[in-house]
Amino acid sequence: AEREANARRAVLDERVRIARELHDVVAHHVSLMGVQAGAARRVLRQRPEQAEQSLAAIEATSREAVRELHR
């Protein structure tokens, strides 16, 4: 019974570790998307090519976040 309890505890600990890691990775990607969106908004009229680069970065970052979620 003690071994089973230890095994269950180990599985739970690993799940918590994975959840924290996933949270950190996704939070980083979302923060990056927010920064890039703000940059795009600020330069949209004066420098549309730079805004386009920021939007492309948002697109790539969101795809990477989804890949991390699936992994």
Side-chain angles (χ1 to χ4, degrees):
E2 188 176 331
R3 266 189 296 217
E4 287 179 21
N6 287 338
R8 280 193 300 275
R9 218 177 351 255
V11 168
L12 261 173
D13 289 347
E14 181 64 7
R15 286 181 180 170
V16 168
R17 184 193 68 74
I18 291 168
R20 284 185 182 140
E21 183 179 325
L22 182 58
H23 173 272
D24 291 349
V25 167
V26 173
H28 170 75
H29 288 304
V30 170
S31 294
L32 184 58
M33 289 186 297
V35 169
Q36 291 292 341
R41 183 178 47 78
R42 288 190 176 146
V43 300
L44 186 60
R45 288 190 179 96
Q46 292 83 14
R47 291 177 278 170
E49 66 286 342
Q50 190 174 350
E52 188 174 323
Q53 290 173 355
S54 290
L55 292 170
I58 293 168
E59 183 180 9
T61 301
S62 67
R63 286 187 177 143
E64 181 62 28
V66 170
R67 275 194 293 276
E68 289 291 334
L69 286 169
H70 285 198
R71 186 175 63 87

